[in-house]
Amino acid sequence: MDGFKDFTLDPINFPMDHVSFFLKKLHQNDQKYVLIVDPGISINNTYNTYKRGMEEDVFIKHDNMPYQGVVWPGNIYYPDFLNSATGIFWRKEIENFNNLIYVVFHGTLLKSFVTAGFILRKISFVKLGAFYPFARDHSANDTTRQEIYIWELVAEAAKKVLGLRYQLLSYFYILMYEAHTKGTPIARPLFFSFPQDTNTYDISTQFLLGKGVMISPVLKQEATSVEAYFLVGNWFDLLN
């Protein structure tokens, strides 16, 4: 982004022609490019998204004035998504940006919360993070590089577990629809789906995705196995 402003490109590091060429290659490989947009709009009279937002009166207010915050771009206003006009405004901004670089937004973001430390610990976090409802490999410009492809063993583990996540996408979509329509959590404690089993009440080291997938992660450093509680029913190892 140009100065961390949403719906812009850095003209030095990511000029429009380079980005368009890169996206064209991705699409030729039947791949999609996924962007994350933090909804903090820079207070800048030369910034078109800000000017349009002010004109359409779409920002959160306090005492009848736009509420000011501070994030990546500096001083910002937050879009008020409880205002129906804001959804229309935001969709137009995305469409305008798409028209500039022909981006296709599709899929889900993957977050594994990989942190600095031992390789085995990184692998454990990757395997756990792959089953979070919202999962992405995330870093920042002021932190040590931590992309999962840097370490061969981490990359190998990530490829396996993220491949399994993609196999479960249809299941995730069903759970997300249920969360939307019924309010049931996607990731849930064991007792949520098995309340009659009192043994689950104190278990905090395992969780369920829906009612049919149980996650029993390695949480202790250098551990290579875990003790897991198996709920009633037939359970199968999805990783082997």
Side-chain angles (χ1 to χ4, degrees), residues 189-191 198-207 228-231:
L190 271 59
F191 64 76
T198 57
N199 293 323
T200 64
Y201 293 179
D202 294 324
I203 296 177
S204 60
T205 55
Q206 299 171 251
F207 66 95
Y229 179 75
F230 284 89
L231 300 157

Side-chain angles (χ1 to χ4, degrees), residues 1-236:
M1 295 182 286
D2 184 8
F4 299 107
K5 297 190 294 292
D6 288 343
F7 310 115
T8 66
L9 293 174
D10 183 333
I12 304 300
N13 296 312
F14 299 97
M16 181 73 70
D17 57 339
H18 289 193
V19 173
S20 296
F21 177 74
F22 171 68
L23 295 178
K24 183 178 180 180
K25 290 185 63 177
L26 287 180
H27 295 165
Q28 288 173 345
N29 291 332
D30 197 27
Q31 294 173 285
K32 308 299 181 183
Y33 187 60
V34 182
L35 300 182
I36 179 172
V37 181
D38 293 323
I41 302 302
S42 175
I43 303 173
N44 185 329
N45 287 323
T46 66
Y47 176 30
N48 289 330
T49 296
Y50 165 75
K51 291 193 293 183
R52 286 189 288 265
M54 290 297 292
E55 292 170 359
E56 299 183 32
D57 194 25
V58 298
F59 297 118
I60 293 174
K61 291 184 178 181
H62 177 68
D63 290 338
N64 207 36
M65 293 292 293
Y67 183 78
Q68 181 175 313
V70 178
V71 289
W72 288 101
N75 294 327
I76 56 95
Y77 289 152
Y78 299 99
D80 181 4
F81 288 105
L82 294 180
N83 179 351
S84 58
T86 304
I88 297 173
F89 159 78
W90 198 251
R91 184 167 59 249
K92 287 181 179 178
E93 294 303 309
I94 293 175
E95 290 173 351
N96 289 339
F97 187 61
N98 283 352
N99 290 334
L100 285 177
I101 58 175
Y102 305 102
V103 175
V104 178
F105 289 90
H106 179 73
T108 56
L109 299 173
L110 303 174
K111 185 168 192 174
S112 55
F113 294 104
V114 181
T115 60
F118 295 100
I119 295 297
L120 288 178
R121 188 178 178 187
K122 292 178 183 294
I123 292 174
S124 296
F125 276 122
V126 169
K127 288 183 175 180
L128 172 58
F131 295 101
Y132 289 168
F134 177 71
R136 62 188 174 101
D137 181 26
H138 187 53
S139 186
N141 60 5
D142 59 350
T143 62
T144 302
R145 288 191 61 188
Q146 55 192 23
E147 294 87 349
I148 56 179
Y149 56 78
I150 293 177
W151 302 275
E152 184 177 350
L153 289 177
V154 177
E156 182 180 342
K159 185 181 297 185
K160 183 176 182 179
V161 74
L162 293 176
L164 175 58
R165 181 187 176 93
Y166 270 91
Q167 293 179 50
L168 293 172
L169 274 187
S170 295
Y171 183 65
F172 270 101
Y173 289 158
I174 292 172
L175 296 179
M176 291 175 184
Y177 178 76
E178 290 179 348
H180 171 66
T181 57
K182 301 178 181 178
T184 53
I186 299 169
R188 58 189 71 168
L190 271 59
F191 64 76
F192 185 90
S193 293
F194 294 84
Q196 73 283 358
D197 187 343
T198 57
N199 293 323
T200 64
Y201 293 179
D202 294 324
I203 296 177
S204 60
T205 55
Q206 299 171 251
F207 66 95
L208 292 167
L209 289 175
K211 193 175 181 179
V213 176
M214 182 168 61
I215 313 300
S216 303
V218 175
L219 299 175
K220 295 182 179 179
Q221 187 168 310
E222 298 184 0
T224 57
S225 63
V226 295
E227 291 186 6
Y229 179 75
F230 284 89
L231 300 157
V232 63
N234 297 317
W235 295 89
F236 304 90

